[in-house]
């Protein structure tokens, strides 16, 4: 049964959008007396996944990647992407209209400094830029002798005739059986943190933070149960929630109580101005330049601080961790049924990437607890699997033919937890090279899974453990090793991160992270092994002197043993795989029957030949 929006495999974007819409945008700029406009990918809420009405970059250029930007001037235009989207941008952007530029390095600012005409006026929407990013753009424009002008109405919105309506999904109270803490208690401790920071209030625009703070969930953003709106919380714990009245039910009003005032989102600007004379905590990483400017213009003092909700939200309590564990077992059973199908029916050579993604979605959809996928499934065979952020479409769809590897990265949203898991399986017989590379990735995965570390350790300090076996073979992968994950919230969450350029945020008990090293041979195949893990409380080690934290596993689904070269594993690594598979069998087998159950028993037999 399907009770969520099915994944679309239509080819979206494309050069015709730029051809159709660039003249319309330039006409709007001329009417406004502007010589150019800057178009970031971000929306007003800094969402990872945008509602359709906020896909301004795609509308103007045809580029549909999740990161990018564009600048449109009177006589030239440019689209900026990073290395993930080099190929995609060439396919989707008309290069007679837009030059393709590198988003990294100097990016948009460097291009403006070189290409903006002295005396020209270039518009920007302050609600779509962080203050730091905007500062770099302002400096670049000054260098070129140009002026950046904040617009009251985004010219894309004015030119976009068939623009989708803003989402208006009803808010839903998220009960304490899943949150583990009443929102009144959350507001009290967040208010205390604001006071300790020397501020009178905090402005919050990140949808996940608002959802967590008020124990609410919504449906305004695909794949994430987020409500779009804004909030101001004061140091006494009282708050005002600015949200479209159409989203609010009587149940939600009762849930919020009399310490949370409800006002239309259109009054958020007025609410910020009412803070005149106050010190207001504002996070430049999540709040737009518009929030800072509005506060300053009103006579308030913006205090740059990390959002007070970010860290408490990341440190899951006991109820949230138990919920995550339960959600992962159910999800693991659905994934195991899929892995059984891949190992049997899908070996025919007639199954394609879209069919496989739909099969997995249908198996998750059989779970009555499923609310949505946690992101569009990455279903990549062969060369497509070598693209870490691949999204299958009708144009790219490949059959799973014998002789290569299939990579599937997927997850589900459940009231008690959010899942994210990647498995790589052979179609037909894997080559010796494939087995070697898979085992090197597995060794890195195990190295991170087994580590113990002291208080104060950051994800960046641990990242090398996942890469070491690949480094020793002269190999690497181009993405991070681990991201935070929310509790029935976003599948990507900070402030923690495990990566080369990791966050400076120390890992703390209750933080959920992914563990996902990989290897990608361009044009041939990709490998990734991803489980979710959480940080444990400090505990003594026998014979040691310092209490150490570690990671506890959440994800339970078998690894494909045909890809494991046991000769490359140490006895300790073999023991880890055997113990992991014993854990899979103990938790998932009771939820299976028939052929899938028999297959799981075989899939979890120990590598060592001994009964675990």
């Amino acid at each position: 049964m399907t009770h969520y929006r099915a994944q679309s495999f239509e080819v979206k974007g494309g050069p015709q959008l730029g051809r159709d819409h660039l003249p319309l945008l330039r006409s709007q700029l001329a009417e406004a007396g502007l010589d150019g406009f800057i178009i970031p990918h971000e929306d007003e809420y800094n969402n990872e996944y945008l509602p359709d009405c906020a896909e301004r970059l795609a509308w103007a250029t045809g580029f549909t990647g999740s990161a990018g930007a564009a600048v449109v001037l009177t006589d030239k235009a440019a689209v900026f992407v990073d290395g993930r989207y080099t190929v995609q941008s060439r396919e989707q952007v008309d290069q007679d209209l837009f030059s393709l530029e590198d988003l990294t390095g100097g990016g948009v600012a460097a291009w403006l400094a070189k290409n903006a005409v002295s005396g020209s006026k270039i518009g920007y929407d302050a609600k779509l830029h962080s203050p730091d990013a905007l500062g770099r753009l302002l400096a670049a424009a000054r260098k070129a002798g140009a002026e950046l002008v904040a617009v009251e109405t985004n010219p894309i919105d004015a030119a976009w005739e068939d623009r989708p309506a803003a989402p208006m999904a009803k808010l839903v109270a998220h009960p304490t059986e899943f949150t583990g803490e009443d929102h009144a208690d959350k507001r009290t401790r967040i208010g205390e943190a604001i006071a300790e920071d020397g501020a009178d209030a905090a402005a919050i625009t990140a949808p996940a933070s608002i959802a967590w703070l008020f124990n609410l969930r919504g449906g305004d953003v695909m794949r994430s149960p987020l409500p779009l709106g804004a909030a101001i919380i004061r140091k006494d714990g009282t708050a005002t929630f600015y949200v479209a009245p159409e989203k609010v039910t009587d149940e939600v009003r009762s849930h919020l109580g009399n310490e949370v005032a409800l006002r239309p989102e259109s009054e958020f600007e007025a609410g910020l101005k009412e803070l005149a004379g106050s010190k207001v905590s504002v996070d430049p990483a999540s709040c737009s330049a518009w929030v800072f400017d509005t506060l300053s213009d009103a006579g308030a003092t913006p205090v740059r601080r990390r959002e007070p909700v970010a860290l408490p939200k990341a440190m899951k309590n006991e109820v949230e961790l138990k919920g995550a564990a339960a959600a992962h077992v159910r999800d693991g059973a659905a994934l195991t049924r899929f892995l059984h199908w891949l190992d049997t029916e899908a070996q025919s050579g007639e199954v394609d990437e879209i069919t496989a993604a739909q099969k997995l979605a249908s198996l998750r959809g059989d779970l009555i607890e499923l609310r949505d996928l946690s992101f569009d499934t990455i279903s990549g065979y062969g060369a497509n699997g070598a693209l870490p952020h691949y999204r299958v479409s009708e144009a790219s769809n490949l059959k799973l033919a014998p002789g290569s590897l299939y990579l599937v990265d997927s997850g589900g949203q459940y009231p008690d937890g959010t899942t994210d898991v990647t498995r790589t399986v052979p179609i037909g017989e894997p080559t010796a090279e494939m087995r070697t590379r898979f085992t090197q990735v597995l060794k890195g995965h195990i190295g991170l899974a087994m580590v113990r570390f002291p208080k104060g350790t950051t994800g960046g300090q641990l990242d090398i453990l996942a890469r070491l076996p690949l480094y020793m073979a002269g190999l690497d992968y181009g993405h991070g090793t681990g991201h935070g994950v929310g509790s029935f919230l976003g599948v990507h969450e900070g402030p923690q991160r495990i990566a080369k350029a990791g966050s400076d945020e120390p890992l703390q008990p209750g933080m959920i992270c992914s563990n996902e090293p990989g290897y990608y041979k361009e044009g041939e195949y990709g490998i990734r092994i991803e489980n979710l893990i959480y940080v444990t409380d400090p505990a003594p080690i026998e014979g040691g002197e310092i209490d150490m934290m570690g990671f506890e596993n959440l994800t339970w689904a078998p690894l494909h043993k045909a890809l494991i070269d046991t000769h490359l594993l140490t006895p300790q690594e073999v023991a880890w795989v055997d113990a992991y598979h014993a854990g899979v069998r103990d938790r998932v087998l009771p939820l299976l029957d028939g052929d899938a159950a028999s297959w799981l028993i075989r899939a979890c037999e120990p590598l060592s030949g001994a009964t675990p």
Side-chain angles (χ1 to χ4, degrees):
M1 62 186 146
T2 299
H3 32 262
Y4 57 90
R5 186 173 164 188
Q7 182 171 340
S8 171
F9 303 102
E10 294 179 8
V11 180
K12 296 183 178 180
Q16 193 60 45
L17 288 179
R19 296 170 195 143
D20 292 342
H21 297 153
L22 190 58
L24 299 178
L25 176 55
R26 282 186 167 138
S27 176
Q28 285 291 330
L29 296 179
E31 285 186 28
L34 295 172
D35 302 299
F37 190 68
I38 301 170
I39 311 169
H41 178 265
E42 287 76 13
D43 70 355
E44 297 88 331
Y45 311 95
N46 204 24
N47 275 310
E48 178 179 12
Y49 304 118
L50 305 185
D52 290 343
C53 64
E55 291 281 7
R56 298 179 178 94
L57 181 63
W59 179 90
T61 69
F63 172 67
T64 60
S66 63
V71 180
V72 173
L73 303 180
T74 303
D75 60 345
K76 65 179 68 174
V79 171
F80 300 80
V81 300
D82 61 29
R84 292 173 294 169
Y85 294 113
T86 302
V87 175
Q88 181 176 332
S89 63
R90 288 174 187 154
E91 294 173 348
Q92 291 187 313
V93 176
D94 186 335
Q95 293 177 63
D96 290 333
L97 300 176
F98 299 89
S99 64
L100 295 179
E101 308 289 343
D102 191 350
L103 185 63
T104 57
V108 177
W111 189 90
L112 272 178
K114 183 178 179 181
N115 290 278
V117 176
S118 180
S120 63
K121 293 185 176 182
I122 300 172
Y124 69 92
D125 186 338
K127 292 183 177 180
L128 308 182
H129 296 269
S130 73
D132 294 341
L134 182 59
R136 291 189 290 271
L137 298 176
L138 288 167
R142 282 194 299 269
K143 183 177 179 181
E147 179 186 359
L148 293 194
V149 180
V151 299
E152 289 192 14
T153 299
N154 191 306
I156 291 177
D157 299 350
W160 193 346
E161 293 182 358
D162 55 348
R163 185 183 176 205
M168 287 292 165
K170 296 293 186 184
L171 296 166
V172 177
H174 198 46
T176 52
E177 69 176 288
F178 299 128
T179 67
E181 184 180 12
D182 184 84
H183 72 86
D185 295 330
K186 288 183 178 181
R187 287 186 287 101
T188 296
R189 64 186 178 109
I190 296 302
E192 291 170 352
I194 292 169
E196 288 174 11
D197 251 354
D200 301 301
I204 299 175
T205 58
S209 296
I210 290 169
W212 181 90
L213 178 63
F214 295 132
N215 285 349
L216 292 172
R217 296 299 184 265
D220 290 336
V221 180
M222 191 173 182
R223 310 302 184 214
S224 301
L226 301 177
L228 298 185
I232 294 172
I233 178 169
R234 289 164 284 275
K235 62 183 180 182
D236 64 0
T238 63
T240 303
F241 182 22
Y242 298 87
V243 65
E246 297 93 325
K247 300 177 185 179
V248 182
T249 64
D250 289 340
E251 180 188 1
V252 165
R253 287 189 183 89
S254 175
H255 163 79
L256 290 174
N258 57 16
E259 290 189 342
V260 179
L262 284 163
R263 292 173 65 176
E265 189 176 2
S266 58
E267 296 182 12
F268 182 47
E269 180 176 6
L272 293 173
K273 291 179 177 178
E274 290 162 11
L275 295 171
S278 301
K279 291 182 178 179
V280 185
S281 177
V282 194
D283 189 343
S286 60
C287 282
S288 69
W290 176 84
V291 174
F292 281 80
D293 292 346
T294 302
L295 287 168
S296 297
D297 292 346
T301 303
V303 180
R304 282 178 168 244
R305 291 287 188 274
R306 182 176 62 190
E307 189 189 83
V309 170
L311 189 58
K313 174 166 62 71
M315 297 172 62
K316 310 298 184 288
N317 60 38
E318 185 177 346
V319 169
E320 290 171 318
L321 290 175
K322 285 183 177 179
H328 276 82
V329 171
R330 291 193 307 270
D331 192 78
L335 180 58
T336 298
R337 290 188 179 95
F338 177 69
L339 294 174
H340 166 243
W341 176 82
L342 280 177
D343 220 31
T344 52
E345 294 180 47
Q347 295 289 318
S348 65
E350 295 304 313
V351 171
D352 59 32
E353 294 168 339
I354 290 177
T355 302
Q358 291 172 329
K359 176 69 174 180
L360 178 53
S362 72
L363 291 168
R364 279 198 171 97
D366 288 340
L367 302 171
I368 60 172
E369 299 90 350
L370 185 76
R371 298 295 179 265
D372 199 351
L373 305 181
S374 55
F375 54 96
D376 282 347
T377 297
I378 297 174
S379 175
Y381 168 79
N384 287 341
L387 303 171
H389 299 272
Y390 173 68
R391 290 290 188 275
V392 58
S393 71
E394 293 163 354
S396 66
N397 190 26
L398 293 178
K399 285 189 175 181
L400 278 56
S404 194
L405 301 179
Y406 171 68
L407 184 155
V408 58
D409 186 349
S410 66
Q413 292 281 11
Y414 305 91
D416 49 355
T418 299
T419 70
D420 180 5
V421 51
T422 307
R423 289 294 181 265
T424 306
V425 302
I427 306 300
E429 289 296 319
T431 65
E433 179 190 272
M434 292 171 182
R435 297 181 72 236
T436 296
R437 297 291 181 250
F438 182 90
T439 308
Q440 289 163 334
V441 172
L442 175 60
K443 288 169 71 71
H445 181 96
I446 294 170
L448 183 59
M450 294 183 67
V451 68
R452 302 294 297 275
F453 52 92
K455 182 179 179 180
T457 301
T458 68
Q461 293 171 308
L462 299 182
D463 180 77
I464 184 60
L465 295 170
R467 297 180 194 270
L468 183 59
L470 292 165
Y471 275 11
M472 298 303 290
L475 307 168
D476 196 11
Y477 50 94
H479 55 75
T481 299
H483 55 81
V485 178
S487 179
F488 189 39
L489 283 173
V491 75
H492 296 137
E493 156 179 297
Q496 74 274 24
R497 189 166 182 256
I498 303 172
K500 291 179 183 178
S503 162
D504 59 2
E505 180 64 45
L507 294 170
Q508 300 199 45
M511 286 181 169
I512 296 177
C513 299
S514 64
N515 174 3
E516 51 179 307
Y519 168 75
Y520 309 92
K521 188 170 185 180
E522 186 176 353
E524 294 198 28
Y525 61 86
I527 295 166
R528 187 160 63 250
I529 302 170
E530 178 185 17
N531 284 357
L532 296 192
I533 51 181
Y534 70 87
V535 181
T536 61
D537 290 321
I541 294 177
E542 186 175 354
E545 299 177 352
I546 303 172
D547 286 358
M548 294 286 179
M549 297 183 286
F551 292 119
E552 188 75 24
N553 187 71
L554 284 169
T555 303
W556 301 102
L559 306 166
H560 206 294
K561 291 189 299 180
L563 287 171
I564 300 175
D565 185 344
T566 55
H567 297 97
L568 299 178
L569 298 180
T570 65
Q572 188 180 35
E573 289 167 341
V574 169
W576 185 93
V577 173
D578 287 349
Y580 177 72
H581 277 150
V584 173
R585 185 195 60 208
D586 292 347
R587 291 167 175 80
V588 175
L589 188 60
L591 302 181
L592 302 180
D593 54 23
D595 291 343
S598 301
W599 177 87
L600 180 64
I601 292 171
R602 295 191 301 273
C604 291
E605 288 174 353
L607 296 175
S608 59
T611 303

